[in-house]
Amino acid sequence: MYIPTQEVRYSKIARITLFLCVMTPSAVVAWLGGIHSLLDCAIAFLWPLALPLIYLDFSPVAGLCCSALLQATLFFCTVRSRRLTARGKATLAITWGMLFAFILRVTLAFQAWQSVSPGM
């Protein structure tokens, strides 16, 4: 039985896998947070960068577009990087996705807290 080494396992990683590592944690947090629209869950990873822009008087669409542009640029640079190994790219994508999921979770909790105590 052939058991590949760790180097061989991570030698090639698909772009879709990296993208799902970025997108899926935020989608799960959004789904568990009460957002049950498939489209809203799919774009949930854009909200952590869009919300500060919305608070600076951008429209929600403009904030989401700026977030998408910035993240697409960062994703493209990550995928095309020759300095990062496939394992490093996977680690970066997973960390990025989990960080944005955490930020989204804190944001949803803060919004829920504000709706419960409107006097504060």
Side-chain angles (χ1 to χ4, degrees):
M1 177 201 277
Y2 172 70
I3 299 173
T5 63
Q6 196 173 33
E7 194 173 301
V8 173
R9 269 186 285 166
Y10 288 107
S11 65
K12 292 184 180 178
I13 189 163
R15 289 183 185 111
I16 190 70
T17 304
L18 291 176
F19 185 65
L20 287 174
C21 287
V22 172
M23 188 178 89
T24 305
S26 295
V28 170
V29 168
W31 184 269
L32 293 175
I35 300 170
H36 294 295
S37 166
L38 185 62
L39 180 63
D40 290 339
C41 287
I43 65 168
F45 73 102
L46 298 175
W47 283 106
L49 289 180
L51 285 174
L53 295 174
I54 292 170
Y55 289 136
L56 294 174
D57 289 334
F58 279 74
S59 71
V61 174
L64 286 172
C65 288
C66 289
S67 175
L69 180 66
L70 181 66
Q71 289 195 51
T73 304
L74 183 63
F75 184 77
F76 180 75
C77 291
T78 302
V79 169
R80 301 287 295 175
S81 174
R82 299 214 185 263
R83 291 184 134 188
L84 286 173
T85 62
R87 184 177 181 180
K89 290 176 187 178
T91 302
L92 181 66
I94 291 168
T95 304
W96 176 6
M98 294 303 282
L99 174 67
F100 277 27
F102 174 71
I103 294 170
L104 183 66
R105 176 65 183 117
V106 169
T107 303
L108 289 174
F110 181 71
Q111 287 176 351
W113 178 73
Q114 268 189 330
S115 66
V116 171
S117 58
M120 293 189 154

